Amino acid sequence: MDQAEGLRNVIKSKNQNNVASARVITITSGKGGVGKSNLAVNLAVQFRKMGKKVIIFDADFGLANVEVMFNTIPKNNLSDVVFKGIPLTDVITEGPMDIGFISAGSGIISLNDLSEDQTHLLVRSITQLSGLCDVIIVDTGAGISNHVMDFVLASPEILLVATPEPSSITDSYSLLKALILNPAYNDKISSISLVANRLKNENEGETVYKKLDAVVNQFLNTQIDFAGGVPQDVNLEKAVRSQKIVSLEYPGSRSARAFEAIAKKLMDNGGHEKSRGFSIRTLFDSFMKK
């Protein structure tokens, strides 16, 4: 039995002993610059307004968009829990409205090299995280790199962000194709929903969704859902330029109301039926399969 298999077994046993867990929503995109991190932080704000405790897990190793929008630099990351023994609570940075924020840190990619003690420490920490909030939002990197696909493949609720630009739609289909045709993908476990961003009008969002859903249906023999759309909004642009969150700075703006509608739709769904019994620990198990 190798190191990775040993960690999977530890995680499996912990999952069996603790079914209750935070809801996990993973946000991804086929290309960068489409508003993925903006969606993450604004959904977090909207969920908090509904009274939900939220933690954002920034799994985008290449960029630090969430911390920029929170206007804060984390002192520690999840790698420090494993390699330095720092308590998980010291890794959670407090953002606006008491939204928790955790940076993965590049060292988390090397989990296969963990000792047995570090393995148990990681599992205990992840178990803690699952009990600290109601919703965990995972902000992945963009594209189809290995660590992005690992996160997305292991997720029960996937939000795919795309814009009406042809290149964004093409890149989104490429990501969906890589995801759905991956042997590890299981449509009985995962659900995929589109969030259309930077829309000129409401109909444009439906158009983007129908284009993607049609080709996914035809060539990949599956379907995606539509979570909603976010319009182009001068207030959103102003908020981004000033490193603010539009749902807090301009709560009555068109984009803030759109984020609210998406959050409400997700919450009204109550979490996809396929995700029942899933936990954040399951997500990290994906890193142990290499």
Side-chain angles (χ1 to χ4, degrees):
M1 181 172 66
D2 61 16
Q3 174 77 30
E5 185 178 355
L7 183 50
R8 281 198 299 271
N9 290 338
V10 173
I11 291 175
K12 182 178 179 181
S13 67
K14 292 290 183 181
N15 281 337
Q16 290 173 342
N17 293 330
N18 187 2
V19 175
S21 59
R23 179 175 176 180
V24 180
I25 300 173
T26 297
I27 301 177
T28 193
S29 62
K31 62 177 290 186
V34 297
K36 174 176 54 63
S37 297
N38 235 318
L39 176 64
V41 296
N42 279 282
L43 282 183
V45 168
Q46 297 298 340
F47 287 145
R48 280 297 293 132
K49 289 182 178 181
M50 298 175 190
K52 303 297 181 182
K53 294 181 180 178
V54 185
I55 291 177
I56 298 177
F57 180 73
D58 189 352
D60 189 343
F61 304 121
L63 299 172
N65 289 333
V66 174
E67 62 189 63
V68 169
M69 280 182 273
F70 278 180
N71 197 23
T72 183
I73 300 176
K75 294 181 180 179
N76 303 299
N77 57 54
L78 194 60
S79 297
D80 295 325
V81 173
V82 177
F83 301 112
K84 297 181 181 179
I86 294 175
L88 181 74
T89 50
D90 290 348
V91 173
I92 301 174
T93 301
E94 187 175 296
M97 296 185 70
D98 297 324
I99 296 170
F101 163 60
I102 294 179
S103 172
S106 58
I108 207 67
I109 299 175
S110 303
L111 293 183
N112 281 347
D113 299 326
L114 298 184
S115 68
E116 184 176 351
D117 287 343
Q118 288 171 328
T119 296
H120 285 277
L121 175 61
L122 175 62
V123 173
R124 288 197 304 272
S125 299
I126 294 171
T127 302
Q128 264 188 293
L129 180 60
S130 193
L132 290 175
C133 60
D134 302 305
V135 181
I136 299 171
I137 298 175
V138 181
D139 182 16
T140 74
I144 54 176
S145 65
N146 287 339
H147 80 265
V148 171
M149 291 305 295
D150 283 343
F151 268 119
V152 177
L153 282 167
S155 302
E157 290 186 77
I158 303 162
L159 292 185
L160 172 65
V161 184
T163 70
E165 295 178 3
S167 60
S168 176
I169 296 174
T170 299
D171 289 333
S172 294
Y173 176 72
S174 296
L175 185 146
L176 289 170
K177 182 179 179 180
L179 170 65
I180 293 168
L181 295 183
N182 191 300
Y185 178 73
N186 187 344
D187 62 2
K188 294 182 173 60
I189 296 175
S190 300
S191 65
I192 305 170
S193 298
L194 174 73
V195 174
N197 194 23
R198 298 176 187 160
L199 307 175
K200 295 177 182 177
N201 54 65
E202 188 174 333
N203 293 335
E204 196 171 33
E206 289 284 350
T207 300
V208 174
Y209 165 67
K210 288 177 180 178
K211 284 181 180 178
L212 267 177
D213 188 52
V215 293
V216 167
N217 230 315
Q218 181 177 356
F219 297 108
L220 303 178
N221 195 31
T222 189
Q223 63 181 39
I224 60 176
D225 300 319
F226 186 46
V230 181
Q232 289 183 340
D233 183 3
V234 64
N235 290 308
L236 177 56
E237 295 171 4
K238 286 194 293 186
V240 170
R241 283 197 300 270
S242 59
Q243 298 181 9
K244 303 292 184 181
I245 302 172
V246 71
S247 292
L248 292 176
E249 292 296 301
Y250 307 101
S253 64
R254 295 171 63 224
S255 56
R257 292 198 303 270
F259 288 126
E260 180 182 9
I262 294 170
K264 186 176 186 303
K265 184 173 183 177
L266 292 172
M267 202 54 65
D268 285 347
N269 288 343
H272 200 282
E273 285 295 317
K274 296 176 181 179
S275 67
R276 185 171 293 177
F278 179 90
S279 77
I280 189 65
R281 295 181 301 278
T282 312
L283 198 65
F284 277 86
D285 186 29
S286 64
F287 283 104
M288 309 310 149
K289 63 191 178 191
K290 291 184 174 65

